[in-house]
Amino acid sequence: MRFLIPLISSSVSSGGNRVASRLLNALSAKPQRSAVPSLFNCLPPSMAASEESLRKALAEKLSAVEAQGNAVRALKAAKASKPEIDAAIEALNNLKLEKSSIEKQLQAAVSGGDGDGALSREAFRQAAVNTLERRLFYIPSFKIYRGVAGLYDYGPPGCAVKSNVLAFWRQHFVLEENMLEVDCPCVTPEVVLKASGHVEKFTDLMVKDEKTGTCYRADHLLKDFCNEKLQKDLTISAEKAAELKHVLATLDDLSPEALGAKIKEYGITAPDTKNPLSDPYPFNLMFQTSIGPSGLNPGYMRPETAQGIFVNFKDLYYYNGNKLPFAAAQIGQAFRNEISPRQGLLRVREFTLAEIEHFVDPEDKSHPKYPEVADLEFLMFPREEQMSGQSAKKTFLGDAVSKGIVNNETLGYFIGRVYIFLTRLGIDKNRLRFRQHLANEMAHYAADCWDAEIESSYGWVECVGIADRSAYDLRAHSEKSGVPLVAAEKFSEPREVEKLVIAPVKKELGLAFKGNQKNVVEALEAMNEKEALEMKAALESKGEVEFYVCTLGKNVPIKKNMVSISKEKKKEHQRVFTPSVIEPSFGIGRIIYCLFEHSFYTRPSKAGDEQLNVFRFPPLVAPIKCTVFPLVQNQQYEEVAKVISKSLTAAGISHKIDITGTSIGKRYARTDELGVPFAITVDSTTDVTIRERDSKLQVRVGVEEAASVVKSVTDGHRTWEDVWEKFPHHTSGSADD
């Protein structure tokens, strides 16, 4: 498309149809969403190889400059002729120019610029954040008191974007998948979070400034060091750069000891004081509180919404007619006491989560709607490719599932649905990847985990986690509460099954182990079938076997008279089991921030003397769908504007009416900066113009049709291209202002 348009447009003569020319220009500017001009161009997949070759070339050029400098000094010391010295100096200057050229190319490669004046990641971020805060999308909380790190307020447009994202989430997941939505308290009793493992294990590794006591998150310090070296120290070798990139790729895989060793190896100190740092140690991220005035009932502000769904499984299963599979969903606030919150909305202490718990039979993880997503192709980053230093590649989801890269169909189905959700919101599909967790990142009970990561000016950001958590959560709460959280499959005919029966002889065990009898009994009963049958064989052949009891932390001798192990045949009318859980978990604030960045760009004003900010939000999430402007201050035009405003309100279209005397061009610029996709300009009492934000093209529509046309496009029933084809084109120059 982009290669054909210059040939077509060259045939439009200088006196040809101006609107046709403008349409061609608009099409060439954005044949698809990712081609709309942007200040921030992400690095292409080939950039890693290009960067490596540039680093090698720079190292060679530095050696050449040093050698030529030595040659010049030697010629001068030997009192060589002036022409010889001048020629050597000229060669040295040429080498320095070549070195400078390579440095500029390398700087562009590592900073995200294009080498021709495109803004760096940091400059782009600053421009976007300044606009977001100035237009009140979000601001630091408690600003007049200098704010609190990690807490933010959403302003009117930010609230509207968030509301639209959540409304679409409900439509895309809850409604389309017939999920059961719940709303649980933010305050959670300690016993619940002990059962889930959060009290013991919900930690990040922290280091302290050994002199001032200031706390830092250990992995962030190492990540910042590696990124700064890669982006600002152009003299490091290609081998060192590869080492630093490997550290970044496997950062989440590092143990506390390995992380501490890397911090010491690289000489990383406290950022503010340059003081030495302590060894990394775990810090629990939950906010602790007390339920009731006595202080005897400890609790926490929930770090996730999922536990409320798990503890309600029994009632939800009954509500669903005792049938599997089914999914429960919840949107709500979560709280994490981050060690050193930063990066704006990406790492905060209070945030909105939208979580789904899809309960499924562990013996059947197929999904009836999986074929609908199997043909999707997008960037996937399996763990093997991460460990071998490769980059994400476009992969068909069906291939990933059939090859076992993605564990099962249900997990694959939700990965596909998440991809559709994010791209329809306005996330650039070329800057979205699905990364599989490394082996050490995953909990021991998890079958498979993938993160939907979106590239921003901060790098790749985890925004959605999609995990097969097996049956861990329901089992943990069953054991702690004593309430069986199970499902049942009823058989049409009774089935004869062989059951393993482990019967400890408590009298003999009591005589042998006295006070430790209970620990040994529990350990024997907890054996799996393989362990039990191996013990049975050993006892029959030897009469005694060593058996490890984890609660005692030692081996104990088990004799043949202490336990009976056998298999019995029984008739069963149903199979009782603990369901597995597939969990997609969405960080709404992170998704919204990445959407802000992916939607932000600038374009020159008509005069060309300034850059105008634009958010290209899809109508689906735009905070305001439409604005209504009388072209000039005129009583008749203002009355027409009010009539259209009432029609838009009746149609449920969020809009803003502006009857100020400001020039129409400035009013367009103000609404473009808020991401408003359509503007209705009243310039007569019978018909009006509708302007589209990104192309700046306008059509003429009757007053009575204006609201319905805008609604049809914002609701997705037709596209702007459909509108452009159907209605007369407006050729006034005001659209270019």
Side-chain angles (χ1 to χ4, degrees):
M1 181 71 172
R2 291 184 69 84
F3 299 105
L4 293 174
I5 285 170
L7 299 175
I8 298 168
S9 57
S10 65
S11 67
V12 179
S13 66
S14 58
N17 186 316
R18 181 177 174 216
V19 174
S21 176
R22 281 172 53 211
L23 179 57
L24 288 170
N25 290 337
L27 287 170
S28 65
K30 56 172 207 126
Q32 53 180 316
R33 294 195 57 77
S34 61
V36 180
S38 175
L39 291 176
F40 173 56
N41 301 309
C42 67
L43 300 181
S46 62
M47 186 58 79
S50 173
E51 183 188 331
E52 184 180 352
S53 61
L54 286 170
R55 286 192 186 278
K56 286 180 178 177
L58 181 59
E60 291 170 3
K61 200 61 67 179
L62 284 168
S63 298
V65 168
E66 185 179 0
Q68 187 63 23
N70 291 335
V72 170
R73 284 189 287 275
L75 286 171
K76 288 180 177 178
K79 297 184 180 180
S81 66
K82 189 173 184 302
E84 277 186 292
I85 294 174
D86 288 346
I89 291 173
E90 185 179 356
L92 176 61
N93 289 336
N94 287 336
L95 285 170
K96 286 181 177 178
L97 286 172
E98 290 169 10
K99 176 182 78 76
S100 178
S101 175
I102 295 171
E103 284 175 340
K104 286 180 181 178
Q105 292 177 61
L106 181 56
Q107 188 64 60
V110 298
S111 68
D114 63 7
D116 294 313
L119 288 180
S120 68
R121 292 173 184 251
E122 291 78 9
F124 165 80
R125 182 194 311 137
Q126 197 58 53
V129 169
N130 286 346
T131 306
L132 288 164
E133 292 194 7
R134 179 168 50 80
R135 296 312 303 264
L136 221 59
F137 280 87
Y138 70 89
I139 53 173
S141 299
F142 317 112
K143 194 174 177 181
I144 63 172
Y145 292 101
R146 298 186 181 179
V148 177
L151 297 176
Y152 288 89
D153 297 336
Y154 285 92
C159 279
V161 170
K162 182 179 178 182
S163 176
N164 292 336
V165 168
L166 291 176
F168 180 55
W169 189 87
R170 277 195 171 96
Q171 175 194 326
H172 187 75
F173 291 106
V174 179
L175 295 181
E176 290 194 28
E177 307 294 339
N178 292 313
M179 295 179 178
L180 311 179
E181 187 171 1
V182 298
D183 188 359
C184 305
C186 293
V187 178
T188 306
E190 183 180 58
V191 64
V192 174
L193 295 167
K194 272 190 173 179
S196 67
H198 284 83
V199 171
E200 183 184 352
K201 296 179 180 176
F202 194 68
T203 58
D204 277 337
L205 292 172
M206 183 167 77
V207 290
K208 274 187 179 180
D209 182 317
E210 291 189 343
K211 293 185 179 178
T212 67
T214 304
C215 299
Y216 303 95
R217 188 164 150 178
D219 60 332
H220 284 177
L221 293 182
L222 181 55
K223 182 179 180 180
D224 289 346
F225 172 84
C226 294
N227 281 329
E228 187 168 354
K229 271 286 184 186
L230 286 167
Q231 292 174 16
K232 295 183 180 178
D233 187 353
L234 304 182
T235 62
I236 61 172
S237 66
E239 291 75 19
K240 188 66 176 178
E243 177 195 323
L244 295 173
K245 286 180 180 178
H246 180 72
V247 170
L248 288 171
T250 59
L251 192 59
D252 293 333
D253 210 24
L254 295 178
S255 65
E257 295 75 22
L259 187 57
K262 282 291 177 189
I263 288 173
K264 283 186 169 64
E265 178 187 340
Y266 294 145
I268 298 171
T269 56
D272 303 319
T273 63
K274 307 305 177 190
N275 291 330
L277 295 166
S278 69
D279 290 331
Y281 63 95
F283 169 75
N284 195 292
L285 299 176
M286 291 193 295
F287 284 100
Q288 190 166 15
T289 186
S290 178
I291 303 172
S294 67
L296 300 177
N297 189 7
Y300 295 89
M301 303 302 290
R302 65 183 179 190
E304 61 181 28
T305 66
Q307 300 308 317
I309 297 175
F310 295 137
V311 299
N312 285 317
F313 170 79
K314 186 176 180 180
D315 293 320
L316 291 168
Y317 180 58
Y318 174 78
Y319 180 86
N320 199 53
N322 295 327
K323 292 179 182 177
L324 283 182
F326 77 90
Q330 181 170 194
I331 296 171
Q333 295 301 98
F335 307 83
R336 296 180 186 177
N337 194 12
E338 294 286 351
I339 296 167
S340 51
R342 57 188 192 161
Q343 299 179 345
L345 295 180
L346 297 183
R347 191 164 295 282
V348 293
R349 288 174 164 145
E350 179 179 351
F351 50 95
T352 302
L353 282 179
E355 295 191 296
I356 297 165
E357 308 302 330
H358 182 91
F359 299 100
V360 64
D361 186 337
E363 294 184 7
D364 181 13
K365 293 182 181 179
S366 62
H367 198 289
K369 294 168 72 176
Y370 166 71
E372 296 177 14
V373 301
D375 291 334
L376 290 174
E377 185 185 27
F378 45 79
L379 289 171
M380 299 192 78
F381 203 10
R383 65 172 66 96
E384 288 76 14
E385 292 178 10
Q386 296 173 55
M387 296 304 291
S388 61
Q390 299 179 56
S391 55
K393 295 182 179 65
K394 282 197 172 181
T395 307
F396 284 103
L397 181 57
D399 290 344
V401 174
S402 63
K403 292 175 182 176
I405 298 170
V406 174
N407 185 270
N408 57 74
E409 280 190 7
T410 299
L411 185 64
Y413 176 72
F414 278 106
I415 289 173
R417 291 289 290 166
V418 168
Y419 172 80
I420 295 168
F421 171 74
L422 293 174
T423 52
R424 283 193 62 190
L425 282 182
I427 296 300
D428 182 353
K429 65 182 180 182
N430 295 315
R431 293 162 65 193
L432 167 64
R433 73 182 184 190
F434 287 81
R435 186 187 70 83
Q436 189 176 29
H437 280 205
L438 299 174
N440 284 1
E441 284 183 86
M442 290 207 307
H444 65 279
Y445 52 79
D448 197 6
C449 299
W450 292 76
D451 287 340
E453 296 184 334
I454 303 172
E455 192 181 27
S456 75
S457 62
Y458 291 106
W460 290 98
V461 179
E462 172 199 342
C463 292
V464 186
I466 309 113
D468 182 338
R469 296 176 60 85
S470 189
Y472 170 80
D473 300 281
L474 294 182
R475 281 187 180 141
H477 287 300
S478 292
E479 290 172 12
K480 191 72 175 176
S481 67
V483 177
L485 302 177
V486 295
E489 178 194 6
K490 292 186 178 179
F491 304 142
S492 55
E493 295 289 335
R495 295 181 185 177
E496 190 172 74
V497 295
E498 203 172 42
K499 286 278 189 180
L500 178 72
V501 179
I502 301 172
V505 182
K506 294 183 180 179
K507 180 182 176 183
E508 298 295 334
L509 292 169
L511 290 172
F513 302 112
K514 297 183 171 53
N516 292 330
Q517 180 213 45
K518 184 181 177 184
N519 304 72
V520 178
V521 168
E522 288 176 349
L524 288 169
E525 290 176 338
M527 286 191 294
N528 60 38
E529 185 170 334
K530 183 184 176 185
E531 291 171 330
L533 293 177
E534 286 176 355
M535 176 179 280
K536 177 181 171 68
L539 288 173
E540 287 176 352
S541 62
K542 300 176 183 176
E544 184 175 316
V545 67
E546 287 291 310
F547 177 60
Y548 182 74
V549 180
C550 60
T551 51
L552 297 177
K554 63 180 182 179
N555 286 322
V556 298
I558 299 294
K559 296 180 179 178
K560 192 173 182 180
N561 65 338
M562 293 180 180
V563 62
S564 168
I565 301 170
S566 61
K567 278 195 167 186
E568 296 180 4
K569 288 185 177 180
K570 292 183 178 181
K571 280 193 175 182
E572 289 190 346
H573 296 270
Q574 63 179 9
R575 177 175 70 96
V576 178
F577 59 91
T578 305
S580 285
V581 177
I582 312 293
E583 179 192 70
S585 178
F586 299 75
I588 298 301
R590 290 186 172 194
I591 293 170
I592 288 172
Y593 179 78
C594 291
L595 175 62
F596 288 155
E597 281 205 7
H598 285 209
S599 300
F600 182 71
Y601 69 101
T602 65
R603 60 186 175 201
S605 62
K606 185 181 180 183
D609 57 349
E610 62 176 325
Q611 291 290 317
L612 303 177
N613 301 322
V614 185
F615 283 101
R616 55 170 175 264
F617 298 126
L620 179 71
V621 296
I624 301 168
K625 312 298 185 193
C626 179
T627 48
V628 185
F629 302 143
L631 183 61
V632 294
Q633 286 186 313
N634 175 295
Q635 186 64 35
Q636 287 183 308
Y637 291 176
E638 289 177 14
E639 290 303 319
V640 172
K642 289 174 183 176
V643 168
I644 294 172
S645 175
K646 285 183 180 179
S647 300
L648 290 167
T649 301
I653 301 296
S654 61
H655 65 283
K656 185 178 181 180
I657 186 167
D658 186 345
I659 56 175
T660 62
T662 312
S663 74
I664 193 69
K666 287 184 178 178
R667 281 183 278 176
Y668 282 149
R670 281 204 303 250
T671 58
D672 290 347
E673 200 171 49
L674 282 172
V676 181
F678 303 107
I680 298 174
T681 304
V682 181
D683 56 2
S684 85
T685 56
T686 56
D687 54 15
V688 295
T689 68
I690 300 180
R691 170 192 182 262
E692 195 272 333
R693 175 196 59 221
D694 295 315
S695 67
K696 300 190 284 186
L697 299 175
Q698 298 186 70
V699 295
R700 292 207 72 83
V701 176
V703 170
E704 66 284 350
E705 289 183 278
S708 62
V709 170
V710 172
K711 182 173 175 59
S712 67
V713 181
T714 56
D715 286 354
H717 299 312
R718 66 167 116 178
T719 64
W720 173 252
E721 286 72 22
D722 297 332
V723 173
W724 179 258
E725 288 177 11
K726 180 175 179 179
F727 293 97
H729 302 168
H730 181 71
T731 58
S732 168
S734 62
D736 289 327
D737 287 348

